[in-house]
Amino acid sequence: MTTRSVVHQRLFACGVLLGVVAEQMVLFAIPLLIFQDTKEVSALGLAYAIEWLPALLAYPFAGLLADRDGGARLFSVVTAGRAVVLGGALIGCLAAPSLLTPILMTAAPLLSLFMAPARMSVEKVVPQLAKGTEVAKMQGLVQSMEVSAMAIGPALALLGLAVIDKTWLLGAAAVIFAAAAACWLPLPRGLRTSSKGGAAQIVVELRLGWTLLVRSRPLVLLASLNFSINLVFAVVLAANAALVTGVFHAPESSFALLNICIGVLGIVNLLVIPFLLRHVNVRILGIFGLALLCSCLLLIGFASSMLLYAPAFVAAMLGVTYFNVFNRTQRIKVLPEEHLGKVMGPFYLLNMMSMPIAGLLLAGSGNNLGPQRLVLVLAVALTAFGALMLPLIIQAFGRAIAAREATLVGATAE
């Protein structure tokens, strides 16, 4: 590996880390601001649903943009756009405090709209910076950067609360988004596809992406399991502020410390995951991750205090981390690089459909059924579904990867 590639990988990792740090600061500030302004769990659910709806529409188009751009410039542009949105939200909240909730409910969907091309850019750039066996390590790095940010983001937010009002955290997050955008500016553009053809060509490419996805049995199976996991965990994340400060009556600092613990665990994973991948097959990592996640979600549903809820929440995120290393590594192996964005856009759309549904579930049943009991019901269903689907997914990917490798070997021989 050349010195230049090492520098590019470090800039890539820094951009991912800073981008998610800013996201975590926003995820800390906005739910607390809305919950304290409205005192309603249903408001949190509604805000969560509204936030994710634009991303659903954006993901297929974001995949096309990533293919056409190569990924690096697109990430910088949309991440800078998120900084601008947060700057505007901060000005609006300071100028009209009585409109705080509507302002934040407007800013949140704009942020998620920009998040879609940012995520697609990361998917596009990973195989440009890593090849062969290095892909799993790079995906582990991405996952660990994302989880590590869950320590740094809330820690910065908690530190900020000591000297500034929560509203000003929006401005701090905007500055960090701008820094993340700058990190990716030196990265190479990578493989790009032609942008000729206008609207007709866009329709053709969108259709191609959906066709490739639907015809790939392992990706369809994986998308169904990912949707289920995201649905349950999204309910937990959407209700987290209400559970910590409302159900368990813990202070705001506990809400931040909970996420800090998750992030510290992510930093440890930076060292642990590469070691595990040298000794454990990525499939085993996926099985362990899903089993840990389901066990912890069940414990969250039964928890009677923060002493049980907090370690279960942290360990559940660890399970998500391990499963996602398997998830991200396997799906790249069955897709041609030139069509990666086209397919991953619809793939993300199917996965992220769970987010607004989770918000609507929480808004509709959070006050009656209760957020904790809702999590328990969904966790039981996920455990049963995961036990059925994961063996099928592993088998389907094994066959698809073997077939793709055989095709590549045959093409090389010819």
Side-chain angles (χ1 to χ4, degrees):
M1 185 179 294
T2 65
T3 303
R4 187 176 182 183
S5 6
V6 171
V7 170
H8 285 163
Q9 287 190 5
R10 288 176 179 173
L11 288 172
F12 167 84
C14 285
V16 172
L17 177 63
L18 290 173
V20 185
V21 164
E23 286 179 9
Q24 290 304 314
M25 292 182 69
V26 172
L27 288 173
F28 173 85
I30 288 182
L32 276 179
L33 287 167
I34 290 177
F35 187 61
Q36 291 178 358
D37 188 48
T38 63
K39 305 299 182 184
E40 293 288 340
V41 174
S42 58
L44 282 178
L46 183 60
Y48 201 79
I50 292 173
E51 174 183 356
W52 284 99
L53 283 173
L56 291 180
L57 301 175
Y59 268 111
F61 297 96
L64 295 185
L65 287 174
D67 278 344
R68 292 183 174 189
D69 172 80
R73 294 297 84 76
L74 180 61
F75 179 91
S76 294
V77 169
V78 297
T79 303
R82 295 165 92 180
V84 172
V85 169
L86 281 176
L90 173 62
I91 294 171
C93 289
L94 293 176
S98 61
L99 298 177
L100 183 144
T101 296
I103 289 170
L104 294 181
M105 283 190 172
T106 302
L110 290 174
L111 292 172
S112 74
L113 185 66
F114 285 127
M115 185 184 68
R119 290 285 189 271
M120 290 295 96
S121 297
V122 174
E123 292 283 346
K124 186 72 177 179
V125 172
V126 165
Q128 296 171 14
L129 299 179
K131 302 295 180 184
T133 57
E134 294 297 315
V135 171
K137 293 180 182 178
M138 182 65 75
Q139 294 289 14
L141 176 64
V142 171
Q143 187 66 27
S144 295
M145 287 288 102
E146 290 179 351
V147 179
S148 298
M150 296 188 73
I152 301 170
L156 289 176
L158 189 60
L159 181 63
L161 286 179
V163 293
I164 59 176
D165 183 76
K166 283 187 291 292
T167 309
W168 283 96
L169 293 177
L170 302 176
V175 172
I176 297 174
F177 269 133
C183 284
W184 275 43
L185 288 175
L187 296 187
R189 294 292 290 273
L191 180 64
R192 286 170 280 171
T193 58
S194 171
S195 58
K196 296 179 180 179
Q201 182 64 26
I202 290 174
V203 172
V204 170
E205 292 180 7
L206 286 173
R207 185 184 300 138
L208 175 61
W210 279 104
T211 301
L212 291 173
L213 173 60
V214 171
R215 289 180 179 176
S216 175
R217 184 170 184 265
L219 287 179
V220 171
L221 293 174
L222 182 61
S224 66
L225 181 56
N226 281 358
F227 174 89
S228 305
I229 292 172
N230 287 340
L231 178 64
V232 185
F233 209 71
V235 170
V236 176
L237 291 176
N240 194 27
L243 286 170
V244 172
T245 62
V247 175
F248 301 121
H249 305 291
E252 292 178 5
S253 57
S254 297
F255 181 56
L257 288 172
L258 185 60
N259 289 303
I260 291 171
C261 289
I262 292 172
V264 170
L265 198 60
I267 294 171
V268 172
N269 273 332
L270 284 174
L271 302 175
V272 172
I273 288 179
F275 172 80
L276 288 176
L277 289 172
R278 285 198 296 268
H279 300 280
V280 178
N281 189 285
V282 72
R283 292 189 296 272
I284 302 299
L285 205 60
I287 294 169
F288 172 74
L290 182 60
L292 179 62
L293 171 63
C294 291
S295 301
C296 292
L297 288 173
L298 290 170
L299 184 56
I300 287 172
F302 285 112
S304 57
S305 69
M306 277 294 291
L307 291 177
L308 289 175
Y309 176 78
F313 185 86
V314 172
M317 186 62 75
L318 180 64
V320 171
T321 299
Y322 288 144
F323 179 78
N324 273 343
V325 174
F326 162 80
N327 171 22
R328 290 174 164 176
T329 300
Q330 297 297 88
R331 70 197 189 200
I332 283 180
K333 291 181 180 179
V334 299
L335 288 172
E337 186 176 337
E338 65 273 18
H339 299 309
L340 184 60
K342 297 181 189 67
V343 180
M344 291 314 300
F347 184 87
Y348 265 76
L349 185 151
L350 294 175
N351 289 344
M352 296 305 172
M353 281 176 62
S354 59
M355 302 302 188
I357 293 174
L360 293 174
L361 280 175
L362 186 63
S365 60
N367 290 331
N368 299 321
L369 181 64
Q372 191 174 17
R373 189 170 295 178
L374 176 61
V375 170
L376 178 59
V377 171
L378 293 174
V380 171
L382 174 63
T383 302
F385 187 67
L388 173 67
M389 293 298 296
L390 190 56
L392 298 176
I393 291 169
I394 292 173
Q395 183 183 57
F397 269 105
R399 291 176 178 173
I401 292 170
R404 180 167 169 76
E405 289 176 348
T407 301
L408 293 175
V409 169
T412 302
E414 290 177 1

